[in-house]
């Protein structure tokens, strides 16, 4: 394998999450001789890797701490870049694709100082807000952004954050939306047997898919349910996914007397996920900004629309870019339950409107987010960045390109 590209990411199947699905769907469509993937070693990785023919090398990528300064932290990064350098030599990889700013991007930045290998950086939106809470992480993120040959943003909103909050020049940013496999995520007729197997029966179902995090807004929709229930008495809110907020959400549902109206499904397999999308009545991602944490894009909104379902999402982050408002979806303030409850109740009552939006949603997803054109666009971005002259520009608040050169003496003091 000559002149290949190495994707480095701790988010990759079988680990659940939108970023991992994005990388899987994109890189499995690229020529095999061009791609090798260094991915996190997850439970079930061996079994998953037996189902495909990608060149995947499993290793520990998610470090105990994102920071670099300190003997243990610097040592962890050095171990990681040694492993990555070995993979680069083995597969003759000359360009690295960092799946996230930290730690993957910082490891790529360090590796560039040692080996001269260029790197591209994927930015998802939320991580650039989180990095702002630490001076050390801000410094690290600035070096990563300074050293990248191209920065790939998952939405125009993420690109705006890079320009306005990190002073990245617009010509260094490429916007590449995540896509959807429209042959797998597709509409299906309402099927009572399938709905019974999901525990839904004939009830109107609002579905949310995603990790149980505060920014996803599951709690706000649960708080909206009493009002929705007044208009749609047998409504069911089905939550697909797992995470640190599950116990809190279960407690909230019990306290509000909604245990019969909220279903926690946990992590689904692929077939179950598609069935949930196909058989729900309405998809909702009631996201909001929490302490700077935002929804960068919202792949689940695209997947739901590909299955012919109308969608509702919060106004924060990049969710507006997933839908054609108001034809396929609606945006609503999700910082409080009342607007969300009103919009959901109105749509659930109006079956004709739901059907019209669902048909428009399928057409929109096929036109805008099918993987074929997005893969061609990604290939063009990768190719042009790989042969682009080394013309990285400095950003205010960061070192100049020359000053970004690796300080080996400083690293030796760090261990």
């Amino acid at each position: 394998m000559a002149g290949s590209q190495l994707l480095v990411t701790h988010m990759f199947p079988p680990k659940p999450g939108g970023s991992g699905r994005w990388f899987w769907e994109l890189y499995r469509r690229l020529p095999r001789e061009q791609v090798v993937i260094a991915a996190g070693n997850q439970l079930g990785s061996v079994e998953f890797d037996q189902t495909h023919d990608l060149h995947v090398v499993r290793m520990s990528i998610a470090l105990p701490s994102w920071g670099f300064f300190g003997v243990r932290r610097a040592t962890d990064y050095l171990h990681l870049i040694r492993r990555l350098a070995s993979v680069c030599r083995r597969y003759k990889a000359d360009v690295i694709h960092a799946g996230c700013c930290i730690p993957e991007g910082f490891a790529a930045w360090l590796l560039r100082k040692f080996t001269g290998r260029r790197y591209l950086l994927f930015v998802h939106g939320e991580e650039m807000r989180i990095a702002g809470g630490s001076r050390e992480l801000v410094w690290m993120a600035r070096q990563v952004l300074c050293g990248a040959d191209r920065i790939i943003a998952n939405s125009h909103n993420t690109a705006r954050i890079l320009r306005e909050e990190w002073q990245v020049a617009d010509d260094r940013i490429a916007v590449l939306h995540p896509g959807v496999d429209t042959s797998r995520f597709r509409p299906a007729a309402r099927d009572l047997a399938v709905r019974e197997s999901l525990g839904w029966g004939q009830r109107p179902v609002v579905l949310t898919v995603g990790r149980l995090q505060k920014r996803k807004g599951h709690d706000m929709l649960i708080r909206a349910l009493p009002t929705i229930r007044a208009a749609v008495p047998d409504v069911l809110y089905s939550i697909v996914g797992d995470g640190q907020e599950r116990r809190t959400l279960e407690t909230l549902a019990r306290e509000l007397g909604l245990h019969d109206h909220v279903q926690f499904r946990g992590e689904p397999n692929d077939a179950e996920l598609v069935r949930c999308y196909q058989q729900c009545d309405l998809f909702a991602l009631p996201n909001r900004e929490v302490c700077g944490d935002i929804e960068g894009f919202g792949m689940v909104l695209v997947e739901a629309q590909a299955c012919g379902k109308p969608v509702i999402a919060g106004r924060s982050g990049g969710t507006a870019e997933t839908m054609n408002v108001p034809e396929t979806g609606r945006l609503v303030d999700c910082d409080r339950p009342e607007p969300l409850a009103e919009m959901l109740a109105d749509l659930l009552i109006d079956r004709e409107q739901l059907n019209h939006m669902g048909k428009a949603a399928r057409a929109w997803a096929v036109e805008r987010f099918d993987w074929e054109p997005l893969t061609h666009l990604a290939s063009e971005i990768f190719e042009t960045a790989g042969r682009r002259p080394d013309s990285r520009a400095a950003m205010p608040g960061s070192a100049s390109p020359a000053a970004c050169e690796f300080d080996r003496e400083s690293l030796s003091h760090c261990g």
Side-chain angles (χ1 to χ4, degrees):
M1 183 181 294
S4 62
Q5 303 160 96
L6 173 64
L7 170 66
V8 182
T9 176
H10 74 282
M11 292 297 296
F12 197 75
K15 185 178 179 67
S19 297
R21 291 206 305 281
W22 181 17
F23 293 141
W24 161 251
E25 293 289 356
L26 174 57
Y27 282 82
R28 74 184 180 92
R29 288 173 166 80
L30 298 176
R32 294 296 182 266
E33 68 276 8
Q34 294 181 11
V35 174
V36 59
I37 299 169
N41 193 15
Q42 310 292 334
L43 183 65
S45 294
V46 173
E47 295 78 5
F48 176 79
D49 289 341
Q50 292 173 347
T51 68
H52 63 79
D53 62 350
L54 286 168
H55 300 282
V56 177
V57 180
R58 296 286 178 172
M59 63 177 68
S60 296
I61 293 175
L63 302 180
S65 170
W66 281 4
F68 175 69
F69 297 111
V71 174
R72 180 60 182 274
R73 293 175 175 183
T75 300
D76 287 340
Y77 271 104
L78 286 176
H79 287 328
L80 175 58
I81 65 172
R82 287 193 188 105
R83 292 193 295 268
L84 293 176
S86 176
V87 175
C88 287
R89 289 192 298 270
R90 177 182 173 186
Y91 290 95
K92 297 182 175 59
D94 50 17
V95 179
I96 294 173
H97 296 181
C100 193
C101 188
I102 302 174
E104 294 97 316
F106 194 71
W109 180 78
L110 289 173
L111 196 58
R112 182 166 192 160
K113 304 311 171 185
F114 278 122
T115 69
R117 284 184 177 85
R118 294 181 167 189
Y119 66 92
L120 313 181
L121 175 67
F122 284 90
V123 177
H124 309 270
E126 59 268 20
E127 78 275 29
M128 303 314 298
R129 289 287 183 80
I130 294 172
S134 161
R135 291 179 62 185
E136 179 184 13
L137 295 182
V138 167
W139 179 86
M140 293 170 67
R142 287 196 181 279
Q143 307 321 305
V144 175
L145 294 171
C146 173
D149 282 283
R150 203 68 187 274
I151 300 169
I152 300 172
N154 65 346
S155 68
H156 291 284
N157 185 69
T158 297
R160 179 191 60 78
I161 291 173
L162 288 168
R163 288 193 305 269
E164 296 179 2
E165 299 181 20
W166 294 88
Q167 293 78 52
V168 178
D170 194 54
D171 64 357
R172 299 184 60 232
I173 303 170
V175 175
L176 179 66
H177 287 133
V180 62
D181 185 343
T182 56
S183 65
R184 185 164 74 92
F185 291 90
R186 62 183 187 273
R190 190 178 183 89
D191 189 319
L192 182 56
V194 174
R195 292 182 124 252
E196 291 286 359
S197 71
L198 295 172
W200 297 356
Q202 296 280 23
R203 301 175 70 176
V205 175
V206 178
L207 176 70
T208 296
V209 175
R211 187 146 187 84
L212 307 191
Q213 300 169 297
K214 288 184 178 179
R215 79 159 188 264
K216 302 287 188 180
H218 302 86
D219 60 325
M220 206 55 64
L221 203 153
I222 291 174
R223 294 183 185 280
L225 278 176
T227 300
I228 299 171
R229 188 175 56 176
V232 187
D234 55 345
V235 64
L236 176 67
Y237 179 33
S238 184
I239 299 174
V240 171
D242 218 333
Q244 65 268 30
E245 289 295 304
R246 177 160 182 167
R247 182 171 297 181
T248 300
L249 295 172
E250 289 175 334
T251 299
L252 176 63
R254 285 196 303 270
E255 290 176 348
L256 295 177
L258 296 168
H259 57 280
D260 289 335
H261 293 267
V262 182
Q263 179 193 54
F264 292 89
R265 300 196 60 84
E267 294 292 354
N269 59 41
D270 289 345
E272 179 187 346
L273 176 63
V274 174
R275 288 195 297 269
C276 286
Y277 280 128
Q278 291 172 335
Q279 296 299 320
C280 74
D281 296 274
L282 178 62
F283 185 88
L285 180 64
N287 60 292
R288 76 286 181 99
E289 183 173 337
V290 178
C291 299
D293 191 11
I294 61 169
E295 189 72 23
F297 181 68
M299 282 183 64
V300 293
L301 294 161
V302 176
E303 291 171 350
Q305 289 174 95
C307 291
K309 300 301 173 181
V311 296
I312 286 178
R315 294 186 183 278
S316 74
T319 54
E321 297 174 46
T322 68
M323 64 184 77
N324 181 17
V325 181
E327 291 298 314
T328 73
R330 307 285 171 81
L331 299 172
V332 63
D333 174 16
C334 292
D335 290 320
R336 52 197 182 94
E338 292 82 9
L340 183 61
E342 181 180 357
M343 182 173 287
L344 282 167
D346 287 348
L347 284 174
L348 287 172
I349 291 171
D350 191 346
R351 302 299 306 186
E352 184 177 349
Q353 178 76 348
L354 282 182
N355 291 335
H356 172 78
M357 291 177 68
K359 291 177 181 178
R362 170 64 183 181
W364 166 261
V366 170
E367 177 187 352
R368 295 298 184 95
F369 298 105
D370 186 79
W371 271 117
E372 184 176 354
L374 289 175
T375 301
H376 287 311
L377 175 58
S379 296
E380 291 175 3
I381 293 170
F382 298 162
E383 183 180 355
T384 55
R387 63 171 184 257
R388 150 191 192 107
D390 193 1
S391 57
R392 292 164 289 149
M395 296 178 294
S398 71
S400 67
C404 284
E405 291 307 310
F406 187 55
D407 185 343
R408 298 175 190 275
E409 182 177 359
S410 296
L411 180 60
S412 68
H413 293 321
C414 293

